[in-house]
Structures are given as C-alpha cells and as structure tokens.
Amino acid sequence: MRRDADIQVQRISRAIEKVLRSDGWINGIKVYDRRHLRKIAESMARKASEPSRFVNQGFHNTSVTQCLLRQLLETHPAYVMEMIASLVTSGKASVGQGKRGKLVSIDQKSLALDLEARWATDDNTSGSGLRDPVGQLFDLLVAQAHWDEFSSNDLKFVYTQDPKPRTGITGERLVKVYVKGDNSIEVAYEGPNLNVQDTFNLARMFDETPNAVIAHSSVVDSLQEPSITDADQLSSAISGYSNATGRPPMLLVFAGLLPGGSGSSRGYDLHAVTALNFDDTYFLESRWGQSVDLALNGLSGEELISAMRLPERTSEGDEDYHDSAPPYMRTIDPAYPVPRYARAPQILAMQKEHDQIAGLEKNAQSNPAVQAQEKYFEELEKWEARRAEHQAIFGDDLPFTVPAPAPPSTQPS
C-alpha cells in the first residue's frame, strides 16, 4: 500500500464530491443533468477501486490513451480524478507532468456522455469491456493534449466525440479548423489517429521511465526509441518497468496474432495492451474486457513476441499503403481507410454490443417511467437556469424561493 494512501483517498473523495456538487453547467451551457453527474461519479469510484478490471476502450479506437489511464490509476488515482473533476466542472484540465504539463480545453459538445458511457455499469465495463464516463473524458483530454502540440495560429486540431454516433462508427473524430482562413472545418481522421511514434511521445507526457511503452524492433524500426527482439529482452523490460514504477507497461501488439484472435494479420490491427509478468508467464489486459482477456492469461514469452513482431507479407504484390511509410508511422487501432474486416477481430464483437445498447436505449424512451424521469430532468434544468439567473442579478440579497421540481418517485399518483 502507498504511504500516502489515506491522502489519495481524501483527494479522490473530494474530486468525486466536486462532480456531485456541480450543477452540470459549463461556460453557460448545460452539459450534464443530475443523472449523468451521478454516472460520472460512479465511474470515478469504479476506476479508482480496481483499474485492472475497469479500464477499457469499448468499440472505440482508443487503446493507447486507455493504457495510459490504466498506468496512471495504478499509482496516481487522485491525480486522474482531479483532472476528471476539473474537466466536468470547467471544460478544461491540466495534463502532463513537469515541463510537459499544459492546460487543455475540450470541445464542449464532446463532453456530453456518449452511448456506452450512459449505459456503462460495473458488470458490462468489466466483462464486456464497455468504455464508461471516465474513459470517455480521459480519452478526450489526453488526445486533445497530444494534438494541441500540432496546432498553430493558422491551423487548430480539435478532437471531438459525437454523443450519438451512427452505427458503424465510433464517434471519435479529429477535426482541422483553419483559424486564419474562413474558420472552415475538415475531418482529418475518424479516431485519435495515434501512431507508434506518437505513443512514445504521449507516454513521456506522464512518465519518462524507460519501457513505459514496449515494442518489437521490427515496429520501432529506425525510430530512436528502445525496443526488444526476443523473450529475454521482453521479460527484462516488463519486470524492469514494473519494479521501478509499480505500473504495468504498455505493449504494442497485432491483435489478430494474439490467442483468441483471427490467427493472422496483415499489419492493420496494431493495438495497445498492458501486461503483467509472473515468472516469465504473461497476463495481458486487452482493453476489451475480461471476456477477451481470458484467452490472454498465461502466455509464454514466445507467444507474446510472435504477436508483437511485424507480420511479413506472404506473397509478391501483397503490398499496400502501409508499406509506403516506416513501421513506426502505423496507426494504432486504425479507423480508415482500413476495411472493417481487416481490423482487430474483437472490434466486430464490440460493435454488436454497441448495437444492442442502442436498442435498449431506444426501447427505454417509450417506457412511461423513463419518460416521466426525462420530463423531471427537463423541468429541473429550467429551474436551475432560473435560479442561476436570479442569483446573478440579486445575489444573496433576495433569496430564490421557487421550489425545485419533485422527482417522479415523490410525486403523488
């Protein structure tokens, strides 16, 4: 147990309380109702309690940022929760350590909880690998922090999340805004668009310990970053990082080559996982939930190395656009133009889960109890807006006496 465990718990509690005390308004816009603030608070408690179970990417292409979240929660959970609380209440938060630290602002529409975050529970977050509210908000924050480094006075990159994405897409979108021109917008990528080189840079934003990210030499190629080539080096790298930090390292693997995958890979399905090493037996956390992780428990070093090595082409004329750039420029969890069937095989199963949840939400809208609750939240939002306007004009000189609307469960039949 950490020496400052009691202080960590106090800081986490204050961060959760900050979210629950919030009215859901950010810069004059109502972003969250009470129900969603509770979902965020529940997610914060869930993540802090057992990050190895509850840090997952769902059907989103965000394994890199989710692995960073997994690492940070292991040793600095209060720091993570304070970032989330700041983001939920102000739309911005400080990201990164030391000189790499920066204040990051998020597109306000993207802060609204998406489909998975609205329906996430302990069970489906752990077992099915859904991404919950903290997962969504952390992904937005860290991806935006990365792309802020590429923004300029002329061109700004904005990482967004559609709270109601259509079937077949994840909702994540990287957008270019031409600030010095006509403020026109261009979609740059359907997802965070992080490659191998970006992953090393992102890891250093929070942790400069060697081997925070471990990749095979065939993937690192000529990039000036450490790499491994065999099982002995893999064992040393994982154990060295875990012993130095108390955190699991991030590994870059080809998902189709993992046990339980398709058994083959064309190199499209580069994916980030975290790994634990016990006597050279490896246990991977896939970011797709424990139902997928069952096949990844007890791997040998050779099994893991084979999934980390860049796949070789099987025949002449088999090249594609991936081969025109160095391996370290390959996108991790790519969105397009990779065909859906060629991505990580688990993504299709996650898409089915997403469709099932969408059906549940659609059916719920016709439920009279849900309709009554929706009406209550609408009335509560109007009441809070009136109260805020009253306080802005009169302050404490004239108390606001209009009673708050009563929730459906307390209204007489």
Side-chain angles (χ1 to χ4, degrees):
M1 180 176 292
R2 290 172 55 103
R3 294 180 181 179
D4 64 341
D6 56 337
I7 298 175
Q8 289 279 320
V9 170
Q10 290 173 22
R11 290 171 58 192
I12 292 169
S13 298
R14 285 196 295 268
I16 293 176
E17 184 179 11
K18 183 177 181 179
V19 168
L20 290 173
R21 286 181 176 273
S22 168
D23 59 8
W25 288 77
I26 301 176
N27 299 326
I29 298 176
K30 181 73 171 181
V31 179
Y32 304 111
D33 59 29
R34 290 292 171 196
R35 173 183 44 184
H36 292 160
L37 290 170
R38 286 198 297 270
K39 292 292 291 187
I40 295 169
E42 290 171 4
S43 174
M44 294 168 76
R46 176 188 305 130
K47 285 285 198 290
S49 69
E50 199 169 349
S52 62
R53 284 181 59 198
F54 296 123
V55 179
N56 291 306
Q57 71 165 6
F59 80 108
H60 308 272
N61 300 322
T62 55
S63 64
V64 171
T65 48
Q66 287 294 296
C67 285
L68 289 174
L69 175 59
R70 167 70 176 96
Q71 290 177 329
L72 287 172
L73 283 172
E74 188 67 35
T75 54
H76 296 88
Y79 168 64
V80 172
M81 299 313 159
E82 287 163 353
M83 283 196 295
I84 297 299
S86 177
L87 188 59
V88 169
T89 55
S90 69
K92 54 190 175 184
S94 296
V95 180
Q97 303 283 355
K99 295 180 179 179
R100 296 290 303 272
K102 65 183 74 175
L103 185 64
V104 177
S105 297
I106 300 300
D107 168 63
Q108 280 193 204
K109 292 182 180 179
S110 299
L111 292 171
L113 300 185
D114 72 352
L115 178 66
E116 282 191 29
R118 295 193 299 270
W119 282 83
T121 64
D122 285 2
D123 289 341
N124 60 31
T125 298
S126 172
S128 300
L130 264 64
R131 189 182 69 171
D132 66 9
V134 169
Q136 175 187 334
L137 296 172
F138 186 86
D139 284 345
L140 283 166
L141 194 57
V142 175
Q144 186 62 61
H146 170 76
W147 285 106
D148 278 351
E149 296 187 357
F150 295 86
S151 297
S152 66
N153 293 330
D154 299 327
L155 177 64
K156 183 179 181 181
F157 286 93
V158 180
Y159 185 62
T160 65
Q161 166 71 56
D162 184 349
K164 295 182 179 181
R166 67 180 186 273
T167 299
I169 65 173
T170 68
E172 284 82 10
R173 180 172 290 176
L174 181 65
V175 176
K176 292 180 181 179
V177 181
Y178 294 92
V179 181
K180 279 295 182 69
D182 55 359
N183 264 343
S184 60
I185 294 175
E186 175 188 342
V187 176
Y189 202 79
E190 298 282 352
N193 197 21
L194 302 175
N195 59 36
V196 176
Q197 184 174 28
D198 295 331
T199 301
F200 280 102
N201 291 335
L202 259 178
R204 279 192 289 270
M205 187 179 293
F206 300 99
D207 183 3
E208 295 189 2
T209 307
N211 294 316
V213 177
I214 301 174
H216 193 271
S217 59
S218 60
V219 174
V220 174
D221 193 36
S222 59
L223 187 64
Q224 298 300 307
E225 298 288 355
S227 62
I228 55 96
T229 59
D230 57 39
D232 289 339
Q233 292 179 359
L234 175 66
S235 174
S236 178
I238 293 179
S239 299
Y241 178 78
S242 297
N243 292 338
T245 65
R247 296 188 289 268
M250 184 191 316
L251 272 60
L252 302 185
V253 300
F254 293 92
L257 300 178
L258 290 172
S262 63
S264 63
S265 171
R266 288 176 54 87
Y268 295 113
D269 53 347
L270 196 57
H271 177 65
V273 300
T274 46
L276 304 173
N277 178 8
F278 298 100
D279 297 325
D280 292 340
T281 300
Y282 301 92
F283 298 80
L284 305 191
E285 298 164 350
S286 68
R287 307 281 80 85
W288 283 304
Q290 291 184 320
S291 61
V292 172
D293 291 352
L294 287 174
L296 305 178
N297 289 333
L299 304 187
S300 68
E302 292 301 330
E303 285 179 301
L304 188 46
I305 285 288
S306 66
M308 298 176 69
R309 188 183 296 114
L310 184 69
E312 296 181 358
R313 292 287 179 246
T314 57
S315 61
E316 293 185 10
D318 202 22
E319 292 81 8
D320 56 31
Y321 79 97
H322 265 117
D323 300 310
S324 63
Y328 60 80
M329 295 298 293
R330 293 186 180 225
T331 302
I332 298 174
D333 290 333
Y336 76 88
V338 181
R340 291 187 68 203
Y341 67 83
R343 298 186 205 172
Q346 296 85 349
I347 203 74
L348 295 178
M350 288 305 310
Q351 184 63 57
K352 292 179 181 178
E353 186 89 20
H354 172 265
D355 294 342
Q356 290 172 359
I357 296 173
L360 289 173
E361 186 167 74
K362 183 178 180 180
N363 292 335
Q365 298 306 315
S366 61
N367 186 308
V370 174
Q371 292 174 347
Q373 189 178 54
E374 291 291 340
K375 183 179 179 181
Y376 161 69
F377 280 118
E378 290 176 3
E379 293 175 348
L380 181 62
E381 183 175 332
K382 293 176 182 177
W383 178 83
E384 288 176 339
R386 291 178 60 190
R387 182 182 62 177
E389 182 180 8
H390 177 94
Q391 291 177 338
I393 297 173
F394 301 105
D396 296 330
D397 296 333
L398 183 63
F400 183 69
T401 58
V402 178
S409 60
T410 62
Q411 291 177 343
S413 58

